[in-house]
Amino acid sequence: MDPEGFSGPSVKPFTPEALVAFNTAQARTGVIYISRIPPGMRPTKVRHLMSAYGEVGRVYLQQEDAKRAYLRRKYTSTKKPHFTEGWVEFKDKKVARSVAEMLNAQPIGGKKGTRWRDDVWTMKYLPKFKWNMLTEQIAHEAAVHTAKLRVELAQSKTEQRDYLKNVELARVLDKRAERRKQKGEDPPEAPKREFVNFKRKDTDAAEPARKKAKRSELVDERQLNSVLGSIF
């Protein structure tokens, strides 16, 4: 996970008893998905707002696309990272469900004049969704992104190598032409291509067969005439 978007307790090694207790606690947790994070809101602020409704476990907010972040920092005065979506884990899945139903499509509120007072929550409870599913999904997306970058880099290297090879070949040919020009020699002529008249060739090959067939037809016609003459 991106450390910028993560807010939660530090990870400690488990004893067997603690592992059993942890698994039991995880079975009771519930996760809500926030499809839109107001501009400038950070994980600590989301945790603070959600903690007012129940005990919160872990919070993760997804940063905006790198290209979009670059353009925003270039053309605006806002340099801090922005987040697009997030996940909040509650210790009790019943609380998570009730919070999602209660806050969805409702104003964030707060004191008058605060930054996000008029922004609206857009969230949904994710039944049977646990935090480890989120970490696996993020790891998978990161692996796919890395593999895609590796393929694009290999393709770019191949194209660059071919381009440099063509440039070198053009330089050598130009140099040879320049030497011939200095010596007063004519530039080498392009090799002539020999074209074969396949149609004529096919016609010549088929001509004996046609003559033979025509001759056979004449013989058959004579025999038929002689037979008809003897009958009539």
Side-chain angles (χ1 to χ4, degrees):
M1 288 187 175
D2 185 0
E4 286 285 343
F6 180 74
S7 175
S10 59
V11 179
K12 298 180 181 179
F14 283 122
T15 62
E17 296 78 8
L19 182 60
V20 173
F22 175 79
N23 291 333
T24 304
Q26 286 298 300
R28 294 196 300 266
T29 60
V31 179
I32 64 173
Y33 170 69
I34 305 176
S35 62
R36 176 186 175 274
I37 304 298
M41 184 175 288
R42 300 180 65 82
T44 51
K45 184 62 178 180
V46 174
R47 169 180 291 277
H48 173 72
L49 294 174
M50 294 293 105
S51 297
Y53 305 98
E55 187 178 0
V56 176
R58 290 163 287 192
V59 177
Y60 178 73
L61 304 186
Q62 177 66 47
Q63 285 199 41
E64 63 184 340
D65 181 73
K67 183 177 181 180
R68 181 179 177 184
Y70 169 77
L71 295 175
R72 178 179 54 78
R73 288 193 297 266
K74 183 177 180 180
Y75 295 107
T76 65
S77 59
T78 306
K79 307 302 180 183
K80 295 182 179 180
H82 282 196
F83 301 92
T84 56
E85 56 185 352
W87 292 261
V88 180
E89 180 190 47
F90 283 87
K91 297 294 185 179
D92 190 344
K93 54 186 175 183
K94 294 182 180 179
V95 174
R97 185 189 297 273
S98 62
V99 168
E101 293 176 354
M102 179 177 59
L103 296 183
N104 185 42
Q106 297 298 320
I108 296 177
K111 295 181 179 180
K112 187 176 181 179
T114 55
R115 184 175 182 179
W116 302 290
R117 175 184 175 87
D118 297 326
D119 274 294
V120 177
W121 287 119
T122 54
M123 61 179 62
K124 180 182 180 181
Y125 172 70
L126 304 178
K128 300 181 181 180
F129 188 88
K130 299 302 178 182
W131 197 260
N132 64 306
M133 299 179 184
L134 174 61
T135 56
E136 291 173 0
Q137 177 184 352
I138 294 173
H140 173 70
E141 292 177 355
V144 170
H145 180 67
T146 302
K148 184 178 179 181
L149 289 179
R150 189 180 297 111
V151 171
E152 293 178 353
L153 181 60
Q155 183 179 359
S156 177
K157 287 183 178 179
T158 302
E159 293 176 354
Q160 182 181 13
R161 183 172 60 252
D162 294 341
Y163 173 76
L164 294 177
K165 184 178 179 180
N166 292 334
V167 170
E168 181 65 19
L169 179 60
R171 187 186 67 82
V172 171
L173 294 177
D174 291 343
K175 195 171 182 179
R176 289 180 181 177
E178 184 65 24
R179 285 201 301 265
R180 285 179 173 271
K181 185 177 180 181
Q182 292 177 358
K183 293 179 180 180
E185 299 178 359
D186 295 333
E189 297 182 357
K192 296 182 179 180
R193 297 182 179 178
E194 297 183 358
F195 296 94
V196 180
N197 192 341
F198 294 100
K199 184 177 180 180
R200 179 64 179 276
K201 186 177 180 180
D202 296 341
T203 304
D204 295 342
E207 187 65 25
R210 283 199 296 269
K211 289 182 178 180
K212 185 176 180 180
K214 188 174 181 180
R215 193 180 304 113
S216 177
E217 290 176 0
L218 292 174
V219 172
D220 293 341
E221 185 177 356
R222 290 174 185 175
Q223 292 177 352
L224 179 62
N225 292 333
S226 63
V227 171
L228 291 176
S230 62
I231 295 176
F232 297 100

